[in-house]
Amino acid sequence: MPSSSSVGLLIEALPYIRKFQGKTFVIKYGGNAMVDPALKDGFARDIVLMKLVGMNPVVVHGGGPQIGRLLSRIGKESQFVQGMRVTDQETMDVVEMVLGGLVNKEIVHLINRHGGKAVGLSGKDGAMIKARKLALHAVPGEGLPSEIIDIGHVGEVTGINAELVSLLDGGDFIPVIAPIGIGDDGATYNINADLVAGSLAATLSAEKLLLLTNTAGVLGADGQLMARVDAAHVERLVAEGVIHGGMLPKVRCALDAVAAGVGSAHIVDGRVAHAVLLEVLTDDGVGTLIHA
């Protein structure tokens, strides 16, 4: 027999289901949620349920640990500069194989196994993600100009052609996208999945952007989780140094998406089972909601 708490959750979810029917949600999938078997199954079920009740989820995934493991197996050492993987042509071949093949197809399989109709894509499909080489600037010494560091095939988004995603969304399909872009020069680029998700959410005028991470969300100056906060307050916390380190790029991505017209951006604790549904369909959520 279902418990009263389960019934309560269903009742709580009902107005959100009504509100979000036909709306697009871009979800960046990464962190523990991509590694722990129970969390992986829970994520797939969440995505399938969203589609079944009339929402349009779009998944953008990372895969850094999986890339690192395969590079290690072939005897190639991973190198990072300012948190970004140095990506020569050989490494780019591995990145494309892991992200566009191994990881992407595993996610597609999980969603399909739980009753969804997922379609795996990379940013090269339909010329979806247009990119250029990322110009990474070294921190200059005193009185010295900033130096540009070449870290290879690492890119930044210059444009999104979302026609293919919209076509799939309009049917019963769930797009699952690897963050690989193509340059005007024909070169292939590895792009940060958060940035791809944010750009895609802006292009699709998404209702929500959800960034799964391994932290509770955005913490205030008192160290407590901020469940809901406006963009101006977040900007102040960034300026004051309260938000720093690894959380800073995620927050910047969220702020850019909201400024570009996305309804709200959420930094979600992916270590919590069914984090996506809890954030979207309950009053309290499991992360931080950032709105304009």
Side-chain angles (χ1 to χ4, degrees):
M1 292 287 292
S3 66
S4 59
S5 61
S6 298
V7 173
L9 282 173
L10 289 171
I11 293 171
E12 184 179 343
L14 185 57
Y16 293 106
I17 292 172
R18 287 177 176 153
K19 179 180 179 182
F20 296 141
Q21 280 192 336
K23 302 294 186 180
T24 297
F25 293 75
V26 177
I27 302 124
K28 187 279 177 137
Y29 179 44
N32 279 17
M34 270 186 84
V35 177
D36 180 273
L39 292 175
K40 286 160 67 173
D41 268 350
F43 175 82
R45 288 191 180 107
D46 288 1
I47 298 302
V48 171
L49 182 58
M50 290 175 74
K51 190 68 176 181
L52 285 174
V53 298
M55 303 176 200
N56 292 320
V58 178
V59 178
V60 178
H61 64 83
Q66 293 92 331
I67 293 167
R69 284 197 294 270
L70 185 52
L71 286 171
S72 179
R73 282 172 57 189
I74 66 173
K76 191 171 183 66
E77 183 180 356
S78 293
Q79 297 180 337
F80 294 88
V81 175
Q82 297 180 23
M84 284 176 278
R85 186 184 301 277
V86 177
T87 308
D88 60 14
Q89 184 58 59
E90 184 180 32
T91 301
M92 187 65 235
D93 291 342
V94 171
V95 168
E96 188 164 13
M97 179 169 61
V98 172
L99 291 183
L102 180 67
V103 174
N104 188 274
K105 299 316 172 190
E106 181 188 24
I107 299 167
V108 167
H109 170 68
L110 274 173
I111 292 173
N112 291 346
R113 188 158 64 88
H114 289 292
K117 292 168 66 176
V119 176
L121 304 167
S122 89
K124 295 170 80 171
D125 292 310
M128 181 182 0
I129 302 173
K130 299 176 182 177
R132 67 183 170 214
K133 189 182 185 74
L134 177 67
L136 185 66
H137 294 268
V139 178
E142 187 174 349
L144 296 175
S146 177
E147 178 186 354
I148 297 178
I149 306 173
D150 186 352
I151 55 173
H153 291 260
V154 178
E156 58 184 348
V157 177
T158 59
I160 298 283
N161 176 5
E163 183 179 0
L164 181 55
V165 173
S166 297
L167 183 65
L168 293 169
D169 262 348
D172 294 330
F173 298 100
I174 300 167
V176 178
I177 300 166
I180 297 166
I182 189 77
D184 288 339
D185 57 358
T188 302
Y189 292 101
N190 179 24
I191 309 174
N192 178 280
D194 289 340
L195 299 181
V196 169
S199 296
L200 185 58
T203 302
L204 292 169
S205 299
E207 178 71 20
K208 293 180 181 293
L209 166 68
L210 290 91
L211 304 173
L212 269 64
T213 184
N214 286 342
T215 61
V218 178
L219 306 181
D222 59 359
Q224 298 300 306
L225 174 68
M226 297 188 298
R228 185 183 181 95
V229 64
D230 65 39
H233 189 187
V234 174
E235 290 280 16
R236 288 197 300 273
L237 293 175
V238 170
E240 293 164 3
V242 174
I243 298 173
H244 61 277
M247 181 57 69
L248 193 55
K250 289 189 181 295
V251 165
R252 280 289 175 211
C253 176
L255 290 171
D256 288 346
V258 170
V262 175
S264 59
H266 304 243
I267 297 177
V268 179
D269 191 346
R271 302 167 300 178
V272 176
H274 299 289
V276 172
L277 284 187
L278 289 171
E279 182 66 15
V280 172
L281 299 180
T282 67
D283 296 333
D284 294 332
V286 289
T288 300
L289 182 158
I290 300 172
H291 61 93

